[in-house]
Amino acid sequence: MAAERDSEGLAAARPMLTDLYQATMALGYWRAGRARDPAEFELFFRRCPFGGAFALAAGLRDCLRFLRTFRLQDEDVQFLASVLPRDTDPAFFQDLRSLDCSAVTLRALPEGSLAFPGVPLLQVSGPLLLLQLLETPLLCLISYASLVATNAARFRLIAGPDKRLLELGLRRAQGPDGGLTASTYSYLGGCEVPSDPMLAPAVGESPGVDLAASVKLWLERVCACLGLGVQEPHPGERAAFVAYALAFPRAFQGLLDSYSVRRSGLPNFLAVALALGELGYRAVGVRLDSGDLLQQAQEIRGVFRTVAAQFQMPWLESVLIAVSNNIDEEELARLAQEGSEVDVIGIGTSVVTCPQQPSLGCVYKLVSVGGQPRMKLTEDPDKQTLPGSKAAFRLLASDGSLLLDLLQLAEEPPPQAGQDLRVWPRGAQEPCTVRPAQVEPLLQLWLQQGQLCEPLPSLTESRAFAQWSLSRLSPAHRQLQNPALYQVALSEKLRSLVDSLSSQGAP
């Protein structure tokens, strides 16, 4: 399959974004004559991040771009030849040059889906050697995107639906790729991208007005209203505000804490905002970036109301108040509490670097080769894998609430709504019976034999889907501290296969 050199393809990871381990494994398969054995791998995580009860699946669009453009270049193969054993058969490198993903099929949770431990985010099937080479890049693309999207979703749940959250983390991210990925998937998870707020056209605009002179007159009136000396507001700050207002009269906003919020930033902003108001423009808002943000916002809102009444400009009461400054979950909860006067919250470091948990811990495991199920056996039960090609379903109650996610072998008939199902919750010693009112298949076919099966949703559509997905969580599963664990269960047939292979591998 010829590599597609489109803008999306160029944004995806390169095939050599991988570990040497994958190349040595590929060589081992090739030498054993198993390079083209049909195989299937699953990518999943074992524990929900941040101590929560859910994750959001993300990164699918990047994986599809990567797979559709996968092709080792001559320089890639030459590098591998320089680091692999010198006696490696040249035919191996010739085969690498011909690799593409035309025989790869991928099923995955749609972007923005709720995801739970053990349920595959991706299922990848194709030739064994090629799938081995895909492990590291697919883990890289899915793990970070899903972690950031989940982190942003937690911030959105804390803030509630009405507060605007802006992602401001590029300067704090781990390099340019991490920064752009974080911006994309924090948006998917519920943050917003800073935008230029366009206001209605000014009414009664008077051309040729000297804005600086008008601001100076307004400053005297504002300072008298606030009980300040007219010399207290910093003139350099005021000049910067005027310059910004001239450039963006319909989008004027001011950072108030360059010098002093109360004695400089606020009166300077009000003077410019009122001068613009005379010309029919409306200031957009103010931003605070230091100090007690909640208290300052309350004080500023009070001043806005006083000044609005004093000068009969009622629109000033509702000017937006934005805050930023190393906001974490605890501070966000404080800023979002009932009665807060904060309208917009900018989050940088805490959303893009995920300081509570820097990695989602996804794994990529072989579950089938040559049509035979494969299972990793280990003394650590958490690291045992579930064998065989599988299907996944979400079972819902009659009121639409989520009951559990069910994993079963792909060959089994799908569960039916209204029928009793005997299932084994993971970690339980006994089965239980459930009767779902609705059944939703989870894994969607996106790539078949290298061909895209349907267009990807836009990022905006995926973001809306993520918010809808989160709305379906029960309060017990949605809470961020000590949440109830969501159940993932196995069908009886899958459980029997696990027990059978475990007994065969037991010492």
Side-chain angles (χ1 to χ4, degrees), residues 188-244:
L188 185 150
C191 291
E192 302 174 41
V193 179
S195 58
D196 184 11
M198 300 300 295
L199 305 181
V203 179
E205 182 177 354
S206 301
V209 169
D210 185 337
L211 184 62
S214 178
V215 167
K216 186 176 181 180
L217 294 175
W218 270 109
L219 182 65
E220 294 176 1
R221 300 173 70 186
V222 167
C223 286
C225 179
L226 300 182
L228 297 172
V230 74
Q231 76 284 353
E232 292 186 71
H234 197 285
E237 180 182 57
R238 185 165 61 258
F241 282 0
V242 169
Y244 188 86

Side-chain angles (χ1 to χ4, degrees), residues 409-427:
L409 294 173
E411 64 201 45
E412 297 183 67
Q416 298 298 309
Q419 294 184 5
D420 286 348
L421 289 171
R422 185 177 162 92
V423 300
W424 289 80
R426 298 199 70 180

